[in-house]
Amino acid sequence: MVSLPPSLQKQVSVMSSNLNAKLDELQQRGDRQLETTVALCEIRTQLQELTKSVESCQSEVSEVKRDMVAIKHELDTVQQVKEEIEELREYVDRLEEHSHRRKLRLLEQGLTVFLSYSILAAVLGMLQFGYNTGVINAPEVNIENFMKDVYKDRYGEDISDDSVKKLYSVAVSIFAIGGMLGGFSGGIIANRFGRKGGLLLNNVLGIVGACLMGFTKLAESYEMLFFGRFIIGVNCGLNTSLVPMYISEIAPLNLRGGLGTVNQLAVTVGLLVSQVLGIEQILGTNDGWPVLLGLAICPAILQLLLLPVCPESPRYLLITKQWEEEARKALRRLRASNQVEEDIEEMRAEERAQQAESTISMTELICSPTLRAPLVIGVVMQLSQQLSGINAVFYYSTNLFTSSGLTDESAKFATIGIGAIMVCMTLVSIPLMDRTGRRTLHLYGLGGMFIFSIFITISFLIKEFFGYVQEMIDWMSYLSVVSTLSFVVFFAVGPGSIPWMITAELFSQGPRPAAMSIAVLVNWMANFLVGIGFPSMKTSLENYTFLPFSAFLAIFWIFTYKKVPETKNKTFEEILALFRHGNDRSMLNCVNALEGHIPPAESAALMVAEEKPHPDSL
């Protein structure tokens, strides 16, 4: 039974007291009829008021009942929402467990024979790049003599040494101009013809460029040498864009770092081969240097023979072309297994994660807030490779060693030592890439290069101050060689291979071609600036030539430490999510706070639950 409100109870009590008083008065005045009538009228009036109060009380009780019904309905709704949250939490837990199992299965994939074959066929393009980067170094004197002879035959007078040096620097640096054009076109070619198709078409340029360089002396035209270097530069620029992209897309998750390092291994092998063939005992002669340059035709022809057997990139087939069955066939061949569902699921997850950016131009890539951070990282990583000073060593190492006091023959053998060390250290870095991580190795590499660039400068300075002491000259020559070789060692550990690999890793399938084009363009522009500017810089700064590179190395080390994430054993989907959350600072703070108190699955469920309407709004 519902009790009366306090106000009504008080009113009833007052009326009861009044009635009792009136009754007592009636008992005392029982003989007075008129007064009795008046008293009864007053009682009647008070009873009417009491009736109204009771009716009002009943109305209040009804409102209370309605409120209780509404509260019960809201409690039922809250309970329903709670049950939905529990279901969502269980779903997120199952999804997280499924993703974890899928990633574990992806990490268990091994290196198959056909995958090895495909990577070998693809990296011939990077071998071409390495060969043509180093081939111009050893025959510098022979090429300059050829230019002098051609000029004298044409104009009947000798050309100045400065002019010959400038012509030779054009032959060196025009290779990078072609590389810029090829690298910038890489994304367009990759989307139009595919990764494998683009590599096959690119070999036509390799053959044409090699033929032009090989017949330079026969045609007595150093302009043909320039044009051939430009064409082979376009070929190498396309290779530096297409090959890392192809390898990163066909490699299993757990082998992506090590197989990505094979790019740099091929580059170093190409460098070493060009340096060995360039010595005077083989092709480093006035008659042999055109053959040395023309041998660039071999990687192009070999790739034309090997690559057609390889499959197209499964990611390109599935995500870009939407050809799922062809992607499955390619994966079965690469993995040597019919169980390829984990790879397909991982690609689908990547596709969903970047669906809004499935077709993205370079302008859209630059303007995208989510992709701006990885693009800046990719560009700075490429600059850290080229502005480290390594190409000054590759292009002009023979000249550097002779300047430090070595004989011409010893300088050429020291240059071969650079190539050999590059190959050995790249082999060492292959297992470290997926064990230590990209960021850590890059920091070690930049730090070591910074230290030994200072030692190179010190060796130059000591040689100048104590140049009159023969023993000091010999000792400083060795210090210069050891410092240069150590500089190369640390380059091979990190900056040699990681920028090519990490640029492909930082982007999902949609923006990857455009990102690779921009990054490779920046790489080749920096390559060109070093190639064309280093002789003048060496003349101007003399013994302090490597100090600008030391400053750049310090800047790049700080940037890598502050900004570059670790991509080891992360799927493309996880890397994309990393930058997407990093762009939304409030979301990142929320996630960090949640991770400190509740499990990830619960935090995800709660974030979704927060989007549910509040019961009061129902």
Side-chain angles (χ1 to χ4, degrees), residues 131-437:
Y131 184 85
N132 286 285
T133 298
V135 75
I136 200 73
N137 189 345
E140 177 181 353
V141 176
N142 308 111
I143 293 173
E144 288 178 352
N145 290 336
F146 163 73
M147 291 176 174
K148 289 177 182 178
D149 293 341
V150 170
Y151 188 89
K152 188 169 185 178
D153 289 342
R154 286 182 184 177
Y155 305 107
E157 60 183 25
D158 292 328
I159 188 173
S160 66
D161 289 340
D162 288 341
S163 297
V164 170
K165 291 290 182 185
K166 288 178 180 178
L167 286 175
Y168 178 74
S169 67
V170 170
V172 172
S173 57
I174 201 170
F175 172 71
I177 295 177
M180 286 185 230
L181 179 61
F184 189 73
S185 307
I188 300 171
I189 299 296
N191 282 333
R192 181 81 180 272
F193 302 103
R195 284 55 164 159
K196 170 190 167 184
L199 286 171
L200 286 171
L201 289 173
N202 189 31
N203 287 307
V204 176
L205 293 176
I207 293 171
V208 171
C211 290
L212 286 171
M213 293 188 296
F215 292 110
T216 292
K217 189 170 184 179
L218 191 63
E220 295 187 348
S221 169
Y222 47 74
E223 292 84 1
M224 184 180 287
L225 172 63
F226 298 158
F227 191 50
R229 286 280 292 173
F230 175 77
I231 296 295
I232 205 73
V234 175
N235 167 266
C236 292
L238 282 167
N239 281 327
T240 55
S241 181
L242 294 172
V243 175
M245 200 185 310
Y246 180 73
I247 290 179
S248 70
E249 291 181 7
I250 68 172
L253 177 63
N254 60 319
L255 299 177
R256 201 170 62 212
L259 294 180
T261 311
V262 177
N263 285 317
Q264 183 63 16
L265 178 63
V267 174
T268 57
V269 169
L271 277 168
L272 180 59
V273 170
S274 68
Q275 290 162 352
V276 171
L277 294 179
I279 62 175
E280 291 182 5
Q281 290 83 349
I282 304 179
L283 293 174
T285 61
N286 287 328
D287 293 328
W289 70 263
V291 178
L292 180 67
L293 298 181
L295 284 176
I297 197 172
C298 295
I301 292 177
L302 191 58
Q303 191 174 64
L304 274 177
L305 295 174
L306 297 179
L307 197 61
V309 182
C310 304
E312 181 55 88
S313 160
R315 289 181 186 275
Y316 171 77
L317 294 172
L318 181 66
I319 301 176
T320 304
K321 305 299 287 185
Q322 295 295 313
W323 295 344
E324 183 170 337
E325 191 53 40
E326 285 78 0
R328 288 179 183 276
K329 289 179 181 176
L331 280 169
R332 291 189 192 107
R333 295 178 69 193
L334 290 168
R335 304 290 184 259
S337 171
N338 291 326
Q339 304 300 320
V340 295
E341 289 308 312
E342 288 78 17
D343 292 273
I344 295 292
E345 282 186 39
E346 194 259 326
M347 292 179 200
R348 287 296 188 199
E350 178 190 348
E351 182 182 22
R352 288 191 298 271
Q354 55 91 47
Q355 203 161 20
E357 300 152 352
S358 55
T359 54
I360 187 166
S361 65
M362 293 185 193
T363 305
E364 292 169 332
L365 173 62
I366 294 170
C367 296
S368 170
T370 304
L371 298 175
R372 190 174 298 131
L375 180 62
V376 170
I377 290 173
V379 166
V380 174
M381 293 288 278
Q382 298 290 342
L383 289 175
S384 73
Q385 184 186 74
Q386 294 300 325
L387 298 184
S388 65
I390 193 64
N391 272 345
V393 174
F394 288 159
Y395 291 149
Y396 302 103
S397 60
T398 304
N399 185 270
L400 281 172
F401 288 139
T402 53
S403 298
S404 67
L406 294 181
T407 64
D408 289 345
E409 186 175 358
S410 298
K412 288 186 178 182
F413 281 107
T415 298
I416 292 174
I418 287 177
I421 287 177
M422 283 283 290
V423 172
C424 294
M425 291 309 301
T426 305
L427 285 170
V428 169
S429 69
I430 289 177
L432 292 177
M433 198 62 65
D434 284 309
R435 186 178 304 167
T436 307

Side-chain angles (χ1 to χ4, degrees), residues 71-88:
I71 291 171
K72 184 177 183 303
H73 177 69
E74 291 183 358
L75 288 173
D76 291 340
T77 305
V78 170
Q79 182 63 30
Q80 183 180 355
V81 171
K82 184 179 178 182
E83 291 174 358
E84 290 179 1
I85 291 174
E86 291 297 330
E87 291 177 2
L88 182 60

Side-chain angles (χ1 to χ4, degrees), residues 2 54-69:
V2 180
V54 171
E55 290 175 352
S56 174
C57 178
Q58 290 176 342
S59 176
E60 291 181 10
V61 170
S62 298
E63 289 179 3
V64 170
K65 287 182 177 179
R66 282 196 299 271
D67 291 342
M68 291 179 66
V69 171

